Amino acid sequence: MRTLTSYSRFLLILIFLSAVSVANAAAKPGGRLIVIRVANFGWNVAANLKIDGQTVANIVQGRRYDHRIPAGRHVLTISAVPNIVLGQATSITVNVRPGGTYIFTALWDSDHVYLRPTALSPAEMAKLGL
């Protein structure tokens, strides 16, 4: 009987600690980052997206990057892969606020790729399924 009580107490403490951990994670909300790849980017070229130096996606034709990222200052870097013209990667800094949505368009311009902030209306966002 005593072993069962000790086990139950241990289980309750473990559940409580897990709940506190989940609550702390939920208390630090981030923002939503969407990167749209333009249609004329190239059929055999992907847009390589890095956040703070870490590759998070290779955005191919017909796809987009749409994920939550932590609040704070982040450096977004975009480049073409494969890099057949040896163009330079370009970067832009974004200050993500909790609950904010940040939409960028990956564009190709002669010899380099860059991100342009996009201001879409609610109707345009709904049309794109955002």
Side-chain angles (χ1 to χ4, degrees), residues 11-58:
L11 187 59
L12 285 173
I13 291 170
L14 186 62
I15 291 170
F16 175 74
L17 291 175
S18 297
V20 168
S21 176
V22 168
N24 284 340
K28 299 176 185 173
R32 182 178 179 194
L33 175 65
I34 301 169
V35 178
I36 301 166
R37 178 187 180 273
V38 293
N40 66 352
F41 197 85
W43 66 272
N44 60 346
V45 179
N48 175 261
L49 176 64
K50 292 181 182 182
I51 300 176
D52 299 328
Q54 298 288 329
T55 296
V56 294
N58 283 320

Side-chain angles (χ1 to χ4, degrees), residues 46-101:
N48 175 261
L49 176 64
K50 292 181 182 182
I51 300 176
D52 299 328
Q54 298 288 329
T55 296
V56 294
N58 283 320
I59 308 166
V60 296
Q61 189 173 17
R63 302 286 185 210
R64 67 175 174 246
Y65 178 84
D66 186 350
H67 290 279
R68 299 202 58 80
I69 63 171
R73 187 177 180 151
H74 298 283
V75 177
L76 309 178
T77 303
I78 195 85
S79 62
V81 289
N83 192 341
I84 54 175
V85 293
L86 301 175
Q88 294 278 345
T90 59
S91 297
I92 189 168
T93 301
V94 61
N95 189 18
V96 176
R97 294 190 175 134
T101 298

